[in-house]
Amino acid sequence: MSPPSLLILYGSQTGTAQDTAERIGRQAKRRWLKVRVEALDNYNVANLISESLVVFVCATTGQGDPPDNMKKFWRFIFRKSLPAGSLCRLDCAVLGLGDSSYPKFNFVAKKLHKRLVQLGASTLLPLGLADDQHDLGPDGVIDPWLTAFWDRVLALYPPSGGLDPLGEDELLPPRFVFHFLDDVTENLTIQSEVMDTEKLRPPSQVHPFMARVVSNQRVTHASHFQDVRLIEFDITGSNIQYSAGDVVVIHPKNCSEDVEQVCQMLRLDPTRRFMLRPAEGETVPARLPQLCTLGYLLESFLDIGSVPRRSFFELLFCFATNKLEKEKLMEFCSAEGQEDLYAYCNRPRRTAIEVLADFPHTAADLTVDYLLDLFPEIQPRSFSIASSLLAHPNRIHILLAVVKYKTRLQKPRKGLCSTWLASLDPTQGEVHVPLWVKKGLLRFPSDPASAVIMVGPGTGVAPFRSALQERLAQDKSGNVLFFGCRSSSKDFYCRHEWEEMERAGQLTLFTAFSRDQEDKIYVQHRVKEQAALLWDLITNSNGHFYIAGNAKDMPTAVCDALKEAFQSEGGVSASQAEDMFNTMERTGRFQSETWA
């Protein structure tokens, strides 16, 4: 039987699932298979009934939600009108990427796998459940799963002519070829036309709105270890509308020092202009200008300062000619060398730039056509909006914690987006940020009689600032906020706003300052103390309960405290309290937005 075309569809939020899908695509090419790799929402799902071999690579986000680039597919595949045997011609496999520290570990992959079987698809092998918590990271599961997958596929569809797979050190053609242009006048003319066209489109990931930074204010004490900013953007003329609970998405940029270092190592001229010519089956990324400079590509598109994935080392290995560097790269690419690779790269959070510096001979041999194969695209960052249009017309506020930490490496690790945003100083001239808005996970009740109970420690308070501004502008009462931080004097964000609302009788505020006394006090302790109030609000005022913040321990502890309140104040059993909580969650009266 001749091998069919392999289709690899991915749902990816941070780029990891996309990287894994592209890795499977490269392995398919080495096995002489014709292959396509697409995001699920870019694929015409109506064609799925005529496919014969598909791999689904799916991440899980939030509280068991599908990634943004597979939501249309998700709605379609779960239509009740789809016939039970509609995918009877399909051989498929599902690989999930998740984190077992979350309650709904790999929920999307599990649910998709079950649905495909319901629709008649044949699964080639058991569902793969990669786990960030594995000792070797996701590859600890992905590697053996892929070995089993290729054994199964090649048994069913052996390569024609008995061709052996290409070696891992054989360089595959690049996904794009750079065509450099030296006619500056031509470049500027076409660039202008592209920009004029973009102005007509609503803000989106491909065409974000360039919002002016109005203010960038530190809201933690100068002596506090954590730098947190309240940043205000002007969105006048954007036609952006948003409600409490919505999210602003921002495209960050690499710092100029990193761009200069990459240009030096790879001998690139940042002013050179080019057009991309895609290989068969590829499309030029829509976010790149038709005519682009290498400087723009490295500053605004390629994630040159991220911790590189295994695919980065696999490509370096293909270019390596220096004996010592090639041996080390071969080890990092092997299944046996994954523990060493994790210790070298992931544990200390070593960046791609630092890796290139450690392999200077190989870096010098890299060619420009492989830049988009080597570095992933910068992923946009999402922030809960911390303001209301009713209180701040034509403005968006965010509450931003600047990421900076130490590892065993001498240079501190820094978050790309938070470091870039914190560096923007509107007092030194106009600065703009590319952004757009999307619906968030939190929805607040329209009924003015419904009470709202919000638990938002740290920057988790951001969506509740938006909700409170919106509700106060609509004269809605019954507002309760539990806020927690380390110290009342150092990181009590928006303190004066909360206290003013409290004095005006618009807010009931409970605070937990974990380091202001010998015993640590957290928001869950305050929730437990207010069991009688919460029971009254939930049973007599149609109370809605919300949690936002770090996903590690806080959400579970707060939920447990709420269930204990049901037992102590409502006189119900533990199982009845659990049922009450589940009913609240199912009906939207309990909602959460948490992140790692």
Side-chain angles (χ1 to χ4, degrees):
M1 184 184 297
S2 61
S5 173
L6 171 63
L7 175 63
I8 304 168
L9 297 172
Y10 63 85
S12 185
Q13 192 72 17
T14 64
T16 305
Q18 179 179 350
D19 180 76
T20 301
E22 290 170 351
R23 176 185 171 196
I24 299 171
R26 288 191 296 273
Q27 291 185 354
K29 290 176 182 177
R30 294 188 183 281
R31 289 161 175 80
W32 306 101
L33 288 173
K34 189 174 181 180
V35 63
R36 290 173 293 150
V37 181
E38 291 188 47
L40 276 155
D41 279 357
N42 291 344
Y43 173 72
N44 184 354
V45 67
N47 293 337
L48 200 59
I49 59 171
S50 58
E51 302 288 353
S52 53
L53 183 59
V54 180
V55 176
F56 298 88
V57 184
C58 305
T60 295
T61 67
Q63 306 302 306
D65 301 302
D68 289 342
N69 65 359
M70 69 174 287
K71 286 184 175 177
K72 286 190 296 184
F73 168 85
W74 195 249
R75 288 191 293 269
F76 182 92
I77 203 72
F78 285 99
R79 284 182 182 176
K80 292 180 180 178
S81 59
L82 294 181
S86 53
L87 296 182
C88 61
R89 295 174 54 188
L90 179 65
D91 285 334
C92 69
V94 180
L95 175 60
L97 277 70
D99 185 324
S100 59
S101 66
Y102 283 80
K104 294 189 175 179
F105 169 60
N106 263 317
F107 180 79
V108 169
K110 292 173 182 175
K111 193 170 180 181
L112 175 60
H113 187 266
K114 184 177 180 180
R115 180 58 172 160
L116 292 169
V117 172
Q118 283 178 348
L119 294 174
S122 298
T123 53
L124 295 175
L125 68 165
L127 171 64
L129 299 175
D131 185 4
D132 283 348
Q133 299 301 316
H134 192 284
D135 289 343
L136 298 178
D139 282 345
V141 171
I142 294 171
D143 281 359
W145 188 89
L146 282 176
T147 298
F149 172 76
W150 290 121
D151 286 347
R152 183 86 172 107
V153 168
L154 295 178
L156 288 172
Y157 308 105
S160 57
L163 291 170
D164 292 326
L166 291 173
E168 294 296 326
D169 59 345
E170 293 189 58
L171 196 60
L172 293 171
R175 293 163 55 214
F176 303 96
V177 173
F178 282 65
H179 174 59
F180 288 100
L181 298 169
D182 297 318
D183 186 339
V184 175
T185 306
E186 177 193 358
N187 292 354
L188 291 177
T189 302
I190 299 177
Q191 190 81 28
S192 175
E193 289 172 1
V194 171
M195 291 175 68
D196 287 343
T197 304
E198 289 175 1
K199 289 176 185 175
L200 304 175
R201 295 171 174 159
S204 65
Q205 179 167 0
V206 176
H207 303 287
F209 178 74
M210 297 303 295
R212 180 174 62 88
V213 180
V214 177
S215 64
N216 189 344
Q217 174 190 1
R218 178 168 174 146
V219 292
T220 46
H221 193 274
S223 65
H224 190 56
F225 77 98
Q226 177 74 73
D227 180 0
V228 176
R229 304 296 181 95
L230 182 63
I231 304 178
E232 181 179 352
F233 303 103
D234 182 357
I235 57 170
T236 302
S238 68
N239 294 318
I240 288 175
Q241 298 292 317
Y242 66 85
S243 302
D246 287 347
V247 170
V248 63
V249 192
I250 293 173
H251 271 309
K253 294 182 179 180
N254 293 304
C255 68
S256 57
E257 292 83 358
D258 285 352
V259 173
E260 290 169 11
Q261 189 174 355
V262 170
C263 286
Q264 288 172 1
M265 285 192 290
L266 304 185
R267 302 186 308 280
L268 302 174
D269 177 357
T271 66
R272 291 198 72 189
R273 290 174 166 84
F274 66 88
M275 295 180 70
L276 287 177
R277 291 179 175 169
E280 184 182 356
E282 298 287 347
T283 55
V284 175
R287 198 163 66 82
L288 274 180
Q290 182 182 353
L291 287 168
C292 189
T293 65
L294 286 174
Y296 179 90
L297 180 74
L298 293 171
E299 179 189 59
S300 300
F301 188 79
L302 295 179
D303 201 352
I304 58 177
S306 61
V307 177
R309 299 186 173 102
R310 185 165 160 188
S311 57
F312 181 89
F313 293 91
E314 290 171 348
L315 183 56
L316 287 186
F317 174 61
C318 292
F319 275 97
T321 53
N322 177 275
K323 184 180 178 184
L324 289 177
E325 291 184 10
K326 194 172 186 72
E327 286 177 356
K328 193 64 182 174
L329 289 166
M330 183 187 295
E331 178 188 343
F332 283 161
C333 294
S334 68
E336 300 76 26
Q338 290 313 291
E339 194 167 341
D340 288 340
L341 176 59
Y342 196 82
Y344 166 74
C345 193
N346 297 77
R347 196 167 288 127
R349 310 301 293 170
R350 197 181 302 270
T351 68
I353 297 172
E354 290 167 331
V355 172
L356 290 175
D358 285 349
F359 293 87
H361 297 94
T362 304
D365 289 336
L366 288 168
T367 58
V368 69
D369 287 338
Y370 285 89
L371 280 178
L372 277 79
D373 294 271
L374 187 67
F375 298 108
E377 180 179 348
I378 294 174
Q379 295 297 312
R381 270 58 167 183
S382 298
F383 300 92
S384 294
I385 296 176
S387 57
S388 166
L389 284 173
L390 298 179
H392 300 279
N394 293 316
R395 294 289 190 268
I396 286 178
H397 297 181
I398 63 170
L399 201 58
L400 169 82
V402 182
V403 177
K404 184 178 180 180
Y405 57 96
K406 289 283 292 180
T407 67
R408 64 180 176 81
L409 300 177
Q410 184 176 3
K411 190 177 179 181
R413 308 293 92 183
K414 295 180 179 181
L416 170 60
C417 190
S418 64
T419 302
W420 174 63
L421 287 174
S423 73
L424 302 178
D425 186 355
T427 66
Q428 300 300 308
E430 281 204 8
V431 285
H432 295 82
V433 168
L435 58 77
W436 68 99
V437 166
K438 67 178 183 180
K439 283 292 172 190
L441 298 175
L442 302 180
R443 296 283 185 275
F444 294 89
S446 56
D447 180 2
S450 295
V452 169
I453 305 149
M454 298 163 282
V455 183
T459 56
V461 80
F464 303 142
R465 183 175 185 260
S466 176
L468 284 167
Q469 290 181 0
E470 190 170 283
R471 287 176 63 81
L472 266 54
Q474 297 167 337
D475 293 322
K476 291 179 179 177
S477 57
N479 304 307
V480 179
L481 175 65
F482 291 85
F483 175 76
C485 61
R486 287 180 171 240
S487 167
S488 62
S489 62
K490 294 188 176 180
D491 56 342
F492 191 173
Y493 315 140
C494 311
R495 175 177 189 162
H496 299 301
E497 293 180 44
W498 310 141
E499 292 177 344
E500 179 61 34
M501 292 177 189
E502 196 175 27
R503 282 192 294 270
Q506 298 166 320
L507 174 67
T508 303
L509 176 67
F510 300 102
T511 55
F513 305 116
S514 62
R515 304 301 197 275
D516 279 356
Q517 62 287 310
E518 188 173 342
D519 295 329
K520 292 178 181 175
I521 298 175
Y522 297 114
V523 285
Q524 56 263 34
H525 299 129
R526 298 302 190 212
V527 169
K528 197 170 183 177
E529 291 169 3
Q530 299 303 320
L533 172 64
L534 299 181
W535 176 256
D536 177 59
L537 291 174
I538 288 170
T539 56
N540 299 320
S541 299
N542 191 37
H544 287 56
F545 196 98
Y546 299 85
I547 299 175
N550 191 288
K552 189 175 182 185
D553 299 315
M554 179 273 297
T556 300
V558 170
C559 291
D560 288 344
L562 181 60
K563 294 170 195 173
E564 286 179 30
F566 294 164
Q567 294 178 67
S568 62
E569 301 302 317
V572 300
S573 66
S575 63
Q576 289 171 321
E578 187 73 33
D579 289 342
M580 286 181 64
F581 179 84
N582 292 338
T583 299
M584 285 185 66
E585 187 170 23
R586 190 176 63 253
T587 58
R589 290 181 61 198
F590 172 85
Q591 299 174 42
S592 66
E593 182 179 77
T594 60
W595 54 86

